[in-house]
Amino acid sequence: DQGAPISVLRRHHYETQFVNLPTTFGDQALRVTLWDNPRIPTAVFAAAPGLTDLGRKDFIAWVSSGHNAVFLGGYSTLSAMNQLFGFELEYVPYREGPYWQNERNVRGTPFTYGPARLEETGQAYGVKIDSIPLTGYSMYDTNRDSLVFFIKYNQGTVCYVGATFDDLDESDPWGFVLRAAVRM
């Protein structure tokens, strides 16, 4: 997606290649971008994708076949996750940090060596932990609210990083968390 923080994603991974998803998702454009680029393991969305019914089915099939979708913070992306995948994530308005790494859940994931806590940098949005499906795991949370989590979806994963990345520096700890979500 055009709003994805490419400089944050590229930090220390300079050979990483990016393929921009179409800004208006026609079914054919989406199919070509996702299915005809086999080296694309992850799609990152900074805003809700506007998909038709056929585009939605294609995208779900793509994720289900072992790919990863990462959604960045905000109500619209959480709403899109609910609509696309049938989740019932309960949105929590901006919550003051810090956000603590959930040591039980990070083991064996790319989040393992991440920061022990995340400070709020800009706005952060989360969900109630109880609304995350049983196949999901909170990576960073505070007071029963999760700001970084992933949900296993068939053979793929759906990740959420609750920061907007509008004015984040490349070295910010949130950048590590975003890169970990992309590696899921």
Side-chain angles (χ1 to χ4, degrees), residues 49-72:
L51 300 172
T52 64
D53 286 340
L54 185 58
R56 179 181 173 271
K57 289 176 186 173
D58 260 354
F59 185 69
I60 290 171
W62 182 78
V63 171
S64 295
S65 69
H67 294 93
N68 181 19
V70 177
F71 292 84
L72 304 184

Side-chain angles (χ1 to χ4, degrees), residues 25-86:
F25 287 94
D27 294 334
Q28 291 174 339
L30 178 68
R31 237 182 247 123
V32 167
T33 304
L34 296 178
W35 293 103
D36 289 352
N37 290 295
R39 294 182 58 198
I40 298 178
T42 303
V44 179
F45 296 96
L51 300 172
T52 64
D53 286 340
L54 185 58
R56 179 181 173 271
K57 289 176 186 173
D58 260 354
F59 185 69
I60 290 171
W62 182 78
V63 171
S64 295
S65 69
H67 294 93
N68 181 19
V70 177
F71 292 84
L72 304 184
Y75 176 76
S76 65
T77 53
L78 285 169
S79 179
M81 290 171 67
N82 285 340
Q83 290 173 355
L84 283 168
F85 301 101

